[in-house]
Amino acid sequence: SIFSLLSRVALMLRLFSRPVLSLIVASSRPTSFSPALRPGIIAAFAQSPQPATFTSCQATAAIMTAATPESTTDLPRWDLSRFGFSSPFSDEIDSHLEETAKLAEAFKATYEGKLEELSLLSAIQEYEEISKRKTLVSSYLHLSYDVSLDDDNLKKRKGALSQRQSEIYGDNLEWFSLDVADLDDAILASHYEKEPSLTAFKSFIDELRRQKPHNLSKDVERALTVRSPYVGTRPLVSFFDKELSLMRFKLDEDGEEVNMEVLLSRMQSSNDAAFRAKCLQVLNEGLAGSVSRTAALSLSSVAGGWLIENKERKYTNLRSRRNLDNNCPDEVVDSLLVGVRSAGIPLCKRFYTLKKSILQKTQGLDKFCWSDRNAPIDIGGVSNDKISWDSAVAMVKKGYSQFSPKFAEMFMSMVDEKRIDVPATNGKKGGAYCAGVIPGIGPFQLLNFDGTKQDVATLAHESGHGVHDILAYQQGYLQYHPPLTLAETASIFGEMIVFRDLLAQSSSREEELTLLMSKIDDVVNSVVRQCSFDRFEELVHTAREKGELSADELDEYWMSALREYYGKEGDAGGDSPFDSYENTSHLWSYVPHFHHVPFYVYSYAFADLVVGTLYNNFLTNKDGFEGRLLALLSAGGTKDFADALGPFGLDPTSSTFWTEALTAHLGELVNEAEKIAKELGYVE
C-alpha cells in the first residue's frame, strides 16, 4: 500500500513546527514569491506551508523493498534552468530587471491618474505581465538561496536585487493597487459595462478594493515598500532563518553532528522512549541561549510591526489583517477557535490518554512525556526500514491514482521535469514547501527527504499543492493563488481517501489501530496544536504593546498556551495525559510562521476540518464528486471559501459548523480507535 497515513501540514508542524518557507506559510506563499501584490495582500502565499505533518506509514511493505539510506548526492535536485537564467550571478538577471524597470516606468506614465478614462482591462493585463517578470527573478533567487543558505555571496546578491525590486515596485507600481481601490463604484461599473472581459479579473479587483479602508497614503505606502529590504522586520527574520539553518546537534559525545531536519526525523521515527527524550533534550538545549534570544528579538520586532500596522491601518483586532487576506470574516475564525477549545481539547485529551496506555503496554513506557507525543505505535507489523526515493515516488503515484488519474499524471510531471529538490543537505532551508512561482514556470518543491515514512507523506502533501497550482494556473498569475483557507484542500483530501482505503484493506485489528492512531496524531496536530500556536501568538502580540519581549517571557507564554490546550502536566497534579513537559520551553523559537506570517496557523485547523466534512460529503454523494473537487481547485483565488464549498452543501459560516465538524471528524476517529484498543486489551 501507499503511505499508511499521508498527513498534512509539513513535518515541521507535526514535530512542534519545523521551519518551512522563507516567508511562509504551508502553506503560505512568501510575499517574495508574489511581488505583484502589496505586502499587505497575502493572496499569493505558498502552500505548504506547507507547511505538513506526518504519520507512520504502516502498510508500505507490500509495495516497497527495504532500502539502505541513499547518499544525498544520489537524490534528485531541482532544475531551475526553465527560469532562463544561467546562475544567480548572471548578468541576464540584471538586464531582465532593468527592462522590467523600463516597462514599469512606462506603465506609470501611461496610467497613473488616468484609470477613470483609460482601459482598466489593459492596465491590469500590463500590470500582470510586469509583475510576472518581477516574480520570475525573485522566485529564482529565493529557490537558489534556499538550497545554499551558507553562501554569503548569494545572500548579498539576493539582497541587492531585492532592494532594486522594491524600488521598482515602490516607485512605479505601488500606486496601482491604491488607485484601483479608490475608483468610484460608478466608474468601475462603467468599466465592466464597456469591457465585459474585465470580469475575468473581478476577484483581483475585489481583493484590492477590500483593502481600501486599511490603505495609507501613496507616499507612505511607497516609503514602506522601498525601505522594507533595509529596515523593519525583514533583515532580522532573514538573519534568524540563516542562524537556524546553521544549527548542528550531537546526540552523544562521539556521534556525528546532524542538522535539525535529521534530528527531528530520528526522534519522530524511534520506538525507544529514552532516545526520543534525548533528542528532545538536545533540541531544546540547543535552542536555548543565543538562539532563543535571537528568536526573541526577531519575534518581538515582528509583533511590534504587526501592532503598529494594525493601529495605523485601523484593523479591528489582532487577527483581522490575516483574516482579510484570507477573505474570511473575523466571526468565522472566532467561531473556529471557540469550537476547538470547547470540543477539540477534550477529544485531544481522550486521544493522548489512549496513546499513553498503548505505549505503556507496547514500549514499557514509564512516563508519558512530550517527546512521546508523536511516537510511532509499533503494533500490526509496522516497519521502520528506510524507503528509497524511487519507492516513495511509486507510493505517491499509486495513492493519487486511486482517487484521480489526473492527480497522478500531474505529480509525475513534477518528478520527471525535476521540479523537486529532494535531499536533506547542510545549508538548506528546513522543512518543506511548494512554490507556485508563475504559470508556465512553477511549481517547485523543496523537501528534506531522509527515507522515512513521514518523508513520503511530505512528498504526497507538497505534491498536492503542486497539483492545486497546476490546475489553478488557468486563472492567470494574479488570481491562481487560492485563499489560505482552501490552500490545503488537495493534499489533505487525497490523504484522507488513501487513509480510508488502507483502513478498509487492513489484515488485522492491530493494523487498523495503528493506522487510526497515526491519523489521529495528524488531525490533533493540525487542529488542536495549531490553535495552541495561535493562542501563543495572541499572548505574545498582546504583551508586545507594553514593550519589547525577552526570551524568558516568550518561554512563559509558550508554556502557558501549552497547558491551556493540553492541560497541566500530571506530575504537577494536573489533568493532562502528559506526565511531564520537560524540555519544551524553547520550542517556540523555531516555528517559522510566528516570524513570517503572524496568525496564519489557524488555517491548518480550518483546512483539516473542512476536508473532514468534504470527505463525509464524498461518502454520501460520490457521483460527480471528483469533478466538483477539480473545479474547486481549478478556481484558484477566484472564489472565497464560502462560494467554493457551496456546491458541496457545506457552510463554514454556520455557528455550529466547527463543533459539528470536530465531533464528526476527530470524534469518530477517536471512537473507532478506543473501540479497537479495548478489544485488543490496551485499555480497560
Side-chain angles (χ1 to χ4, degrees):
S1 278
I2 26 205
F3 15 88
S4 81
L5 239 286
L6 300 176
S7 28
R8 76 216 62 68
V9 226
L11 176 58
M12 58 184 304
L13 292 176
R14 161 120 192 230
L15 304 178
F16 323 117
S17 251
R18 274 193 183 174
V20 182
L21 244 185
S22 55
L23 266 197
I24 198 139
V25 106
S27 214
S28 330
R29 289 185 197 287
T31 49
S32 54
F33 279 87
S34 56
L37 303 181
R38 292 191 301 102
I41 299 177
I42 316 297
F45 265 59
Q47 295 101 305
S48 184
Q50 70 262 71
T53 315
F54 316 128
T55 65
S56 295
C57 174
Q58 188 267 337
T60 56
I63 70 162
M64 68 154 202
T65 56
T68 56
E70 292 166 291
S71 166
T72 56
T73 58
D74 297 329
L75 293 171
R77 309 304 300 263
W78 54 28
D79 177 8
L80 303 184
S81 62
R82 65 177 51 245
F83 280 86
F85 306 122
S86 57
S87 88
F89 299 96
S90 169
D91 290 341
E92 302 161 312
I93 294 178
D94 301 271
S95 299
H96 178 96
L97 206 52
E98 289 315 305
E99 179 63 25
T100 302
K102 292 178 182 177
L103 292 171
E105 290 169 6
F107 174 78
K108 180 179 181 180
T110 300
Y111 290 106
E112 187 176 21
K114 306 169 189 174
L115 289 182
E116 291 189 2
E117 60 265 23
L118 295 182
S119 168
L120 182 58
L121 175 61
S122 296
I124 292 177
Q125 289 171 333
E126 289 184 37
Y127 178 80
E128 182 172 48
E129 290 305 309
I130 296 169
S131 299
K132 286 164 62 178
R133 291 179 61 89
K134 290 176 71 270
T135 300
L136 188 74
V137 171
S138 59
S139 296
Y140 178 70
L141 290 168
H142 272 278
L143 295 175
S144 299
Y145 182 62
D146 281 354
V147 295
S148 303
L149 295 179
D150 51 1
D151 187 335
D152 287 336
N153 289 328
L154 180 52
K155 179 183 179 181
K156 185 175 182 180
R157 168 71 164 166
K158 173 175 167 285
L161 291 173
S162 175
Q163 292 164 12
R164 180 66 179 124
Q165 295 236 70
S166 292
E167 291 171 3
I168 294 171
Y169 184 77
D171 289 341
N172 299 302
L173 298 173
E174 182 83 58
W175 67 271
F176 183 66
S177 60
L178 302 173
D179 279 12
V180 173
D182 286 340
L183 281 174
D184 184 86
D185 288 344
I187 296 295
L188 181 59
S190 70
H191 277 299
Y192 280 124
E193 184 177 351
K194 287 185 293 185
E195 299 180 300
S197 296
L198 182 61
T199 57
F201 290 98
K202 187 176 186 303
S203 296
F204 171 68
I205 295 169
D206 289 347
E207 182 177 20
L208 296 183
R209 292 173 72 79
R210 281 196 300 272
Q211 297 285 343
K212 180 177 179 179
H214 311 290
N215 289 338
L216 305 177
S217 69
K218 283 186 183 180
D219 288 343
V220 172
E221 295 286 8
R222 178 198 171 278
L224 290 172
T225 298
V226 173
R227 286 164 173 73
S228 62
Y230 303 91
V231 298
T233 62
R234 192 192 298 184
L236 261 179
V237 173
S238 178
F239 174 79
F240 177 61
D241 280 346
K242 182 175 180 180
E243 292 303 297
L244 277 183
S245 76
L246 296 175
M247 291 191 72
R248 301 292 179 264
F249 302 87
K250 264 192 172 185
L251 288 170
D252 55 65
E253 288 296 325
D254 301 322
E256 63 173 328
E257 286 190 334
V258 298
N259 60 33
M260 190 182 299
E261 292 297 318
V262 174
L263 176 68
L264 291 170
S265 176
R266 291 181 180 178
M267 177 171 67
Q268 171 75 7
S269 58
S270 176
N271 291 324
D272 184 336
F275 180 77
R276 293 193 298 264
K278 178 66 175 177
C279 288
L280 185 59
Q281 179 186 356
V282 168
L283 174 63
N284 195 57
E285 290 178 354
L287 293 170
S290 61
V291 176
S292 63
R293 288 195 297 272
T294 304
L297 178 62
S298 174
L299 183 51
S300 187
S301 175
V302 168
W306 192 262
L307 172 69
I308 194 63
E309 286 254 340
N310 278 356
K311 288 183 176 179
E312 292 293 322
R313 296 184 184 277
K314 297 179 174 59
Y315 288 104
T316 306
N317 61 49
L318 285 173
R319 297 179 189 85
S320 294
R321 182 176 168 193
R322 178 68 62 229
N323 297 344
L324 184 64
D325 291 335
N326 287 344
N327 195 14
C328 188
D330 289 345
E331 297 76 19
V332 172
V333 176
D334 292 344
S335 179
L336 164 67
L337 296 172
V338 169
V340 171
R341 275 185 173 270
S342 63
I345 290 177
L347 289 169
C348 170
K349 291 179 179 178
R350 275 177 57 191
F351 167 66
Y352 285 122
T353 298
L354 173 61
K355 186 166 189 175
K356 178 179 182 179
S357 179
I358 294 173
L359 289 175
Q360 286 173 334
K361 288 182 168 61
T362 60
Q363 296 183 10
L365 214 61
D366 180 29
K367 287 188 175 182
F368 187 51
C369 301
W370 195 251
S371 53
D372 302 312
R373 183 173 60 88
N374 291 313
I377 299 296
D378 52 356
I379 59 176
V382 177
S383 168
N384 285 320
D385 290 333
K386 287 285 186 179
I387 302 168
S388 71
W389 170 248
D390 287 343
S391 294
V393 170
M395 293 157 69
V396 174
K397 179 182 178 182
K398 185 175 186 293
Y400 275 19
S401 297
Q402 289 179 351
F403 171 64
S404 171
K406 191 169 184 177
F407 269 43
E409 179 185 341
M410 288 183 281
F411 164 66
M412 288 308 300
S413 74
M414 288 183 274
V415 174
D416 295 339
E417 294 171 10
K418 297 183 179 180
R419 296 175 177 275
I420 308 175
D421 200 83
V422 179
T425 59
N426 290 337
K428 182 176 180 179
K429 180 172 285 293
Y433 66 72
C434 180
V437 191
I438 62 175
I441 299 296
F444 287 89
Q445 295 181 47
L446 180 142
L447 305 177
N448 278 275
F449 185 85
D450 192 40
T452 68
K453 302 174 184 77
Q454 290 78 17
D455 291 334
V456 179
T458 311
L459 172 62
H461 181 88
E462 300 308 332
S463 297
H465 291 307
V467 167
H468 199 160
D469 283 334
I470 294 169
L471 286 169
Y473 281 156
Q474 62 186 276
Q475 303 299 339
Y477 173 68
L478 295 177
Q479 298 183 136
Y480 86 83
H481 310 282
L484 299 186
T485 46
L486 296 174
E488 300 293 325
T489 306
S491 48
I492 299 177
F493 186 83
E495 294 164 10
M496 192 68 180
I497 292 289
V498 170
F499 163 69
R500 283 297 175 183
D501 180 63
L502 290 172
L503 200 64
Q505 297 179 40
S506 297
S507 59
S508 68
R509 296 295 268 173
E510 287 84 0
E511 189 176 328
E512 285 185 62
L513 182 58
T514 299
L515 285 166
L516 280 165
M517 294 298 290
S518 260
K519 186 61 177 177
I520 301 168
D521 262 332
D522 288 340
V523 176
V524 168
N525 282 318
S526 291
V527 177
V528 179
R529 183 146 180 77
Q530 299 314 306
C531 289
S532 77
F533 284 3
D534 178 272
R535 174 57 176 157
F536 168 72
E537 289 188 280
E538 182 178 28
L539 293 170
V540 169
H541 283 251
T542 301
R544 183 62 181 87
E545 192 160 9
K546 298 178 181 178
E548 189 171 321
L549 302 170
S550 69
D552 289 342
E553 288 176 294
L554 293 170
D555 287 348
E556 291 177 8
Y557 294 137
W558 178 255
M559 296 308 298
S560 176
L562 188 73
R563 292 186 174 102
E564 281 186 43
Y565 277 77
Y566 293 89
K568 185 178 179 181
E569 55 267 56
D571 282 353
D575 64 345
S576 174
F578 293 97
D579 297 303
S580 170
Y581 293 139
E582 186 178 9
N583 293 315
T584 60
S585 58
H586 307 310
L587 299 181
W588 59 270
S589 62
Y590 80 106
V591 180
H593 304 64
F594 301 154
H595 303 262
H596 292 297
V597 277
F599 296 103
Y600 167 76
V601 289
Y602 75 74
S603 296
Y604 291 111
F606 191 112
D608 202 286
L609 294 175
V610 164
V611 172
T613 55
L614 267 180
Y615 179 76
N616 289 333
N617 181 280
F618 167 70
L619 291 179
T620 58
N621 189 17
K622 290 186 178 181
D623 289 344
F625 186 91
E626 180 185 357
R628 290 193 296 275
L629 184 61
L630 291 175
L632 182 156
L633 301 177
S634 299
T638 62
K639 292 184 179 180
D640 63 23
F641 72 94
D643 290 338
L645 296 174
F648 301 91
L650 303 180
D651 181 15
T653 63
S654 165
S655 60
T656 61
F657 177 85
W658 302 108
T659 53
E660 291 172 356
L662 277 159
T663 302
H665 182 37
L666 179 57
E668 284 306 307
L669 289 170
V670 173
N671 289 341
E672 286 184 72
E674 288 175 335
K675 179 181 178 181
I676 298 174
K678 188 172 183 179
E679 290 178 17
L680 297 175
Y682 291 117
V683 294
E684 297 299 327

